[in-house]
Amino acid sequence: MTGYRLSSGGLVDRSQSLSFTFEGRPLRGFAGDTLASALLANDQLLVGRSFKYHRPRGIVSAGPSEPNALVTIGSGARTDANTKATVAELYGGLTANSQNRWPSLGFDVGAVSGLLSPFLGAGFYYKTFMWPKQFWERVYEPFIRRAAGLGRAVLEPDPETYEKSWAFCDLLVVGAGPSGLMAALTAGRAGLRVIVADEDFRLGGSLLSTTETIDGGAASVFADRAVAELQSLPNVTLLSRTTVFGWYDDNVFGAVERVQKHVAEPSSKHVSERVWRIVAKRALLATGAEERPLVFGGNDRPGVMMAGAMTTYAERYGVAAGKSVAIFTSGSAGYRTARALSAKGVAIAAIVDARAESGDRAPDGIRVIRSASIVDTKGRQRLKGIVVERSGFEELIACDAVGMSGGWSPVVHLACQRGAKPIWSEELQAFTAPDVGGGLRPVGAANGVFTLAGCLSDGAEKAAAVAAELGLNVTPAAPPVVDGEETSSFVALWYVPGAKSKAFVDFQNDVHAKDLGLALREGFGHVEHAKRYTTNGMATDQGKLSNINAVGILAGMRGVSPAEVGTTTFRPFYTPVSFGALAGAARDEHAVPARKSPLHGWATKNGATFVEAGLWYRSAWFPRAGEKTWRESVDREVLNVRANVGLCDVSTLGKIEVFGPDAAEFLNRLYCNPVLKLPVGKARYGLMLREDGFVFDDGTVSRFDEEHFFVTTTTAMAGPVMAHMEYCAQALWPELEVRFTSSTDQWAQMAVAGPKAPAVLQQIVDGDISDDAFPFLSARKIVLKSGVSARLFRISFSGELAFELAVPAGYGEAVADQIMEAGRPHDICAYGVEALNVLRLEKGLLTHAEFDGRVTPDDAGLGRMLSMQKADFIGKRLSARYGLTAADRMQLVGLKPVDADKDMRAGAHLLKEGTKPSTLNDQGWVSSAGFSPVLGHAIALAFLKSGRERYGEKVIVFDKLRDQEIVAEVCDPVFVDPQNMKLKA
Amino acid sequence: MRYSAFSLVRNALSGNLNWKPQWRQPQPKPHYDVIIVGGGGHGLSTAYYLAKEFGVKNVAVLEKGYLGSGNVGRNTTIVRSNYMLPGNEPFYEFSMKLWEGLEQDLNYNVMLSQRGVIMLYHSDGQRDAYVRRGNAMWMEGVAAELIERAQLKKMIPFLNYDHARYPILGGLLQRRAGTARHDAVAWGYARGADRHGVDIIEHCEVTGIRRENGVVTGVETSKGFIGCGKLALAAAGNSSRVGEMAGLKLPLESHVLQAFVTEGLKPCIDHVIVYGGGHFYISQSDKGGLVFGAEIDGYSSYAQRGNLATAEHVMEEGVAMIPGLSRVRVLRAWGGVMDMSMDGSPIIDRTSIDNLYLNCGWCYGGFKATPASGYCFAHLIARNDTHPVARALRLDRFARGYAVDEAGAGPQPNLH
Amino acid sequence: MASLITCPHCGVRPKEEFAIRGDASRGRPEPMDSDEAWHDYVYVRANPRGRTFEHWHHIAGCRRFLVVERDTATHEVYSVVDAVEFLQRAER
């Protein structure tokens, strides 16, 4: 047995025993445990397998830097892979399993790769797996993929919910250790709005595991008192289980709060995780310091652990990491651990100190071996002994755990996420936070202050300084009295010479010291190259333990200072954050907002099938009893519109009201065709270009009076057109007196189309709408017989005699019902966008299937609309470029199949008869196609090189994607009623 | 040293102590026939092909940072040739073919993984647009497949078939497309170029371009003046700044694009999947991390870091497409500076200065183009003649009205 | 900058309320200006590393076009003014 629960002590609640399983084995722990402390208490030393060599691995740390103890927690859709046991809060019913092993954790076949390790050095894969050529993808890569990876993602829909929240504060304190709590107390008492965020489930940081006393009591008691006071302050918000993962522009911090990751049965009343965006006037980085591992032979044997972590397990969790513990240290911290463990009755096998001398105090009777190092470890899946080398002599010392300490690095991650690099301090032998201005300042250990008393006063002083900057005069609270603190120092030791077996730098990714040597030999000595070549620091811990040693080793090998090597780049996220938390509530049907037309209810009543159109749902067709396919419904709707009358919801079209003395001039500059002289009471088709001369959008422009226009846009471009108009009015021509607003949602608009449309509409419209009184392209404000104010337009997107009637949105459904009722004797039908599309296709009218952003007005057969006499309009100048006017451009044509039975589909390309498919021979493409129920065969609109000269020519419609190839005749794009006889009836 | 089974064994048995640097660290010579500014994927591949295919061996590549420190080392590693426009498709297919022989050509495993890229469609209109694209690919002889929903469900069962805001109706698949190990591409080309005599000079920033009588005579650098016969710019996001040193005004804006990787996972995503309801794309690296990204942050930037709002939006799209990603944790985000052009397509061309050549405008599609970009640029530099597959990618296309606008979005770079 | 923008009309607002149109440093040429002037206006960008002027549209707020003066390398914002005020300043 190695790890065990001490008979007393610790901050766990020994009255609350919790059952959990690891690898199916039932185990018990206490409330207040982490999974790691509970595993250790149960002597579960082996917790995982490494990434490359599948080596047996044990717990190394007691926090988020953990490289080894990655487990999968939960099952089914609630599976969380790659969870660090060292931060997973224990709860009753927790199930955990190890990862990356087969068939079992104890016996892992993958470990055979360890035997091949001479061939599997850094970057080995770049040099091999190339022969024979095809084998990489067929053999090697699948094998590597299977061998690699860590936990298994289930990829099932997540039953949990998530949310996001904003928070604002004067001071954000990141970390609730000694300096963070003192800072929060100082600022909170002064009345600042303070947020304290700490990743742990219990606030206090190192106060929870330190042996020093504060004000005569345990440090944890001081922490509890501080937390209680902060909780009582209304201006202070405490966020535990909350990791600040990123620092963004404008002093905005991203944080994730694990609301319910620590319960067996999450309540549906609460979210699982919550992402905070914290806008902080000031922030203090009280994130402490990370202890450095030592890179010595066999340092990955289960039982080798950070010395500080051992103290934490003993002091906070009441767990001993071993029965007989050896300490390997290059500084005071190892002695501190030895004293703490010794005081708890844990045997200390020896303190191996790499330094020749130090003032650090060893516990009484403990052997200290100076100027010595561990060069190898014994045991397989758990440590049995260490080989200590001193002055050339080796000694085997039996022990079942090693606490290692190579000094301390301030945790400066957040401060380096926005481009600034950490600064090497010769004095501290560590990288320290760069000066990133007043917004974010390191404090306490994160600031290189490595004494408890120092941290407490640094926290108070920094917070007082912040308060002063924000206009409050505060004297920092007198820091409490710390007892039992001994001086602290260390010597940086990047690599322990004389290793007899692999000395790991990055445990999780299996990068050992020799890999860094190989990288340097092969020219990958730059710290970024070394990282990428060896994968050092790229594991799920992002090198929290390994990076500093890699830098030190590279520096040593290159014979330069670590300052010259520098660090790799710190980037979000400080610790990994789930997709779910970052996505928040936007998921599934709620991924984006849904817009419904004011006639949605009417369409539903009439049996519509709906289709997504951007944010909108539009009625696509209205199936009737007996119709088996959508085509049957659509054909019926089309024929009925052509023969009788139909009603279609066109409310989703963008609608913009334009007012002002310069409204006409403004629109005249926006559209490529003339608008200035549009008579009051008239509508006109309009085409807007981009400044580069290509079609931007089309729609209608109507003039209700001299200074009031009404323009429509396509559904898809309603937003962009509005933004474009705002740009032109505000940024280009602010001198024009024009105002406009979107009224898309204010109007329910319906197309009433077909020869019987006047007869139907006349029943509900007050006033004459006969052809004489209300001719084609009329546009007027009217009143319905019901008294409802409305707008009526005599425009058509079907080629039929048609109206568009707009009524205030709230009246939409009632008016539509009225029309249907009035139309019943005339066989009115509801028709959807599918029929609308066929009707316009038969007439050669265009949508964004044609206007794909690369089409000029002339391409679309609308060249006559370009009013080059106008002094200026958007797109005028660049329309004249050679490429936009060349004769061989693709022009809109119609296509009909030579063999009338044959089908054509949009997306096909065109070839000259007798030519082979090639990009050079590509003559054009089909933009829209469908079956014309009027003609009884397929028709299509297409863009064809010099197409308007080629009517009558036969072309191949090439649809290799669907394995279709037919011959079609090029024709005028207007298939039905080319003389527009029906339009004007 | 050539990599072979033999060399691997021999070195393993000697403790791997005898491997040599993959490229030299030479001091700059006073003069080169060609200087390439930019030691990223494109600059290095240009140097490699110049030396290997076009016999121009007196070449230097100048890199201001470490080799491969730009976008070649910070992308989502996707390789594909599924373009629609005739100006693009032949170029990218040429690149795809070079990819397919690259490992043998370079004697370096860049881990090309032709696992297939599938672009999902969610509406009839989107399907039609993809059909148009797929048929354009077939015109160039590039196989494409339309995968209907039923088949897609079998192929990729974990997509959001039941609760998607935009229904997943099918996808356009290019089986030959896939991923490659991005850093290895830079290193493989560097090693290859070096073996052909190219000097790769890292940490050498170009600070000025010296011109006499209307031609470039050399560059001022942080390592002093270096003369050249021809100067070739392959500076990606920094193209405008370098171009300005020669008085060039370019149709470019630099924008930041974020990419992300999750913690390592056992194999679960076998394709590159592109979401059509937004702009999200994801694949799984051989190491097990899910690598993904979406659109650019939207504002012009030279900072290699992104903002949280965009990152959150990327995650939203990911979960919209694959609900099961919800519990997967994202490890790291990074940002690259994209040289966004005015039509979303690249520029490989001569300039108004006779011996100054330009390679830029790769937007966020530069990685897949690395081989063809280098090959065509080398062709242009060596022969002063545009390679046939790059004819549409000339600089004057904007003035002449021949933009290659794959997105149809017009001259607003952040829309491409 | 990339997190928050201080709209002169609406106050401090998050980035996602804005749509970014692009370079605001160039005025639209006169109709009779040269081809080159028009080409440059539509297609050429100074693309500075450093101080730049950019049109941001407060699309989920006041719907005004703003000119954000900021640094493309540090993301520091120097000023945010309404597009009309920006034009008036240019004329002065």
Side-chain angles (χ1 to χ4, degrees), chain A residues 81 137 141 249 577 881 919, chain B residues 114 140 286 305 329-330 398:
Chain A
E137 285 183 75
E141 192 196 22
D249 289 340
V577 184
R881 285 178 296 166
T919 300
Chain B
Q114 293 178 286
E140 185 62 20
D286 286 343
R305 58 192 164 87
R329 281 185 292 251
V330 188
F398 302 107

Side-chain angles (χ1 to χ4, degrees), chain B residues 60-246:
Chain B
V61 178
L62 309 185
E63 167 54 49
K64 77 178 160 73
Y66 61 93
L67 185 150
S69 52
N71 296 338
V72 72
R74 52 186 86 245
N75 57 69
T76 47
T77 78
I78 298 167
V79 168
R80 59 186 172 88
S81 62
N82 56 357
Y83 280 74
M84 182 174 78
L85 297 181
N88 274 330
E89 181 59 10
F91 174 83
Y92 286 101
E93 175 55 14
F94 179 62
S95 203
M96 195 70 227
K97 291 207 173 82
L98 289 172
W99 277 114
E100 288 171 327
L102 198 57
E103 277 144 20
Q104 309 298 317
D105 189 32
L106 293 177
N107 179 233
Y108 206 87
N109 190 354
V110 300
M111 301 189 193
L112 177 70
S113 175
Q114 293 178 286
R115 53 182 71 181
V117 170
I118 186 151
M119 302 176 138
L120 305 180
Y121 60 81
H122 308 259
S123 69
D124 291 354
Q126 205 169 23
R127 177 201 59 210
D128 292 347
Y130 280 159
V131 171
R132 178 183 174 192
R133 183 195 290 227
N135 281 319
M137 292 162 66
W138 276 112
M139 278 285 183
E140 185 62 20
V142 179
E145 293 166 56
L146 198 64
I147 306 292
E148 307 276 356
R149 183 178 155 97
Q151 192 185 347
L152 188 66
K153 272 183 155 177
K154 286 187 197 132
M155 217 169 101
I156 311 176
F158 49 77
L159 299 178
N160 194 353
Y161 295 105
D162 299 327
H163 295 285
R165 173 68 174 79
Y166 295 115
I168 294 172
L169 303 179
L172 179 71
L173 172 67
Q174 185 188 17
R175 286 193 197 268
R176 280 167 64 234
T179 58
R181 169 83 179 98
H182 57 5
D183 288 325
V185 175
W187 302 337
Y189 273 119
R191 175 170 165 269
D194 180 88
R195 280 158 50 127
H196 284 96
V198 172
D199 281 358
I200 298 164
I201 301 161
E202 295 175 78
H203 311 291
C204 178
E205 182 169 6
V206 172
T207 55
I209 295 175
R210 196 182 286 180
R211 282 175 287 166
E212 285 166 30
N213 305 321
V215 296
V216 172
T217 55
V219 290
E220 313 287 351
T221 78
S222 52
K223 297 194 175 186
F225 176 80
I226 311 173
C228 65
K230 294 176 176 180
L231 183 65
L233 308 183
N238 285 305
S239 293
S240 294
R241 296 178 59 214
V242 181
E244 196 180 13
M245 294 174 193

Side-chain angles (χ1 to χ4, degrees), chain A residues 215-255:
Chain A
D215 287 346
S220 62
V221 172
F222 169 79
D224 290 349
R225 239 183 7 244
V227 169
E229 182 183 342
L230 290 169
Q231 267 164 345
S232 74
L233 295 173
N235 51 322
V236 175
T237 306
L238 293 176
L239 294 172
S240 60
R241 301 187 176 95
T242 303
T243 305
V244 178
F245 58 71
W247 180 44
Y248 299 91
D249 289 340
D250 309 311
N251 233 32
V252 173
F253 292 81

Side-chain angles (χ1 to χ4, degrees), chain B residues 377-399:
Chain B
F377 201 30
H379 183 283
L380 176 71
I381 296 162
R383 301 193 178 160
N384 224 21
D385 180 31
T386 302
H387 190 281
V389 299
R391 276 188 192 138
L393 308 178
R394 307 273 292 264
L395 180 57
D396 66 357
R397 65 179 186 265
F398 302 107

